[in-house]
Amino acid sequence: MGLRAAIEHGEIVHDTPIDIVAEAEDGLQAIEAVKAHRPDLLILDVSMPVASGAEIVVDIQRWSPDTKIVVYSAVTSPGLLAHLIEAGVHGLFAKGSDASLMLDALPLILRGGSKVDPSILDIVREAPEPAVLTARERQTLNMVLAGRTNAEVAEMMGISPKTAEKHRASMMAKLDVRSLSELMAKALQDGLIEQHGLM
């Protein structure tokens, strides 16, 4: 509500009023709002119910390519932040920073520029290099996180269950994890989850 008030009543873009055309409580609502309004600007959180901001960025870019996407979030995962930068969001700001940093950048972003919060750049730069997985290991990772068994992974990849088990063991060893919860946390941290590839 504070951001809404600042955008509607503040002098963010000189002599250019900004109207809030919609608000969304989850990722799917955000996509529907973008489809309906084709807004100039979308301010998005990453941690949302139903579908996260990270999951819907590509969909939004497809449905409304002219919409400038700004992510304003408390997420500190280096992999996820790097993923958002690579996905082409126009602005990326940490909720822990002064909100004026984002608000001051909106005119630049609306003109086609981009801005990343310096604190986020520091997180991304200082992160250790993620583990390098083969294409098969990445496939296995996403299927395992989607709840597939070794037998199902084998069938879907057209390989033997023994080979599927080998891919799974190798992938988990490289990531240094021993459980599904550790695997999920590590995959999110390193930006290894293919949001639109889960089956």
Side-chain angles (χ1 to χ4, degrees):
M1 291 181 68
L3 281 176
R4 178 176 185 133
I7 290 170
E8 287 185 320
H9 306 298
E11 297 180 0
I12 293 171
V13 182
H14 298 297
D15 302 322
T16 304
I18 295 182
D19 296 320
I20 309 294
V21 296
E23 291 183 65
E25 294 182 0
D26 61 52
L28 294 183
Q29 285 184 16
I31 292 173
E32 291 305 315
V34 168
K35 286 182 184 179
H37 299 283
R38 300 294 199 274
D40 296 313
L41 176 71
L42 170 68
I43 298 178
L44 191 65
D45 197 345
V46 174
S47 302
M48 294 190 297
V50 185
S52 74
E55 291 177 296
I56 67 173
V57 165
V58 174
D59 281 339
I60 288 168
Q61 289 171 329
R62 182 170 70 243
W63 285 107
S64 186
D66 293 331
T67 296
K68 306 297 187 291
I69 302 173
V70 172
V71 174
Y72 184 55
S73 181
V75 168
T76 57
S77 162
L80 182 53
L81 294 172
H83 168 75
L84 289 166
I85 294 171
E86 290 166 8
V89 299
H90 302 85
L92 185 54
F93 301 91
K95 281 188 176 177
S97 298
D98 188 337
S100 65
L101 182 66
M102 179 187 72
L103 296 173
D104 290 345
L106 292 185
L108 169 68
I109 291 167
L110 285 166
R111 291 194 303 268
S114 61
K115 176 75 174 178
V116 177
D117 188 326
S119 68
I120 287 177
L121 286 175
D122 288 342
I123 291 171
V124 173
R125 287 187 188 122
E126 294 169 8
E129 287 295 318
V132 178
L133 302 181
T134 66
R136 286 296 205 183
E137 288 166 350
R138 286 184 72 104
Q139 265 187 295
T140 303
L141 166 68
N142 282 275
M143 289 183 187
V144 168
L145 292 178
R148 304 295 183 184
T149 64
N150 281 346
E152 289 172 324
V153 171
E155 183 178 351
M156 296 173 79
M157 292 175 67
I159 58 179
S160 71
K162 187 173 182 179
T163 302
E165 187 175 348
K166 182 178 177 182
H167 287 322
R168 180 173 181 152
S170 174
M171 172 263 296
M172 293 187 75
K174 284 184 179 180
L175 296 176
D176 191 27
V177 296
R178 292 163 187 78
S179 68
L180 188 58
S181 59
E182 286 183 4
L183 178 62
M184 173 65 81
K186 182 68 173 176
L188 283 170
Q189 177 183 313
D190 290 352
L192 296 171
I193 297 177
E194 297 170 8
Q195 304 287 2
H196 298 274
L198 295 182
M199 306 173 73

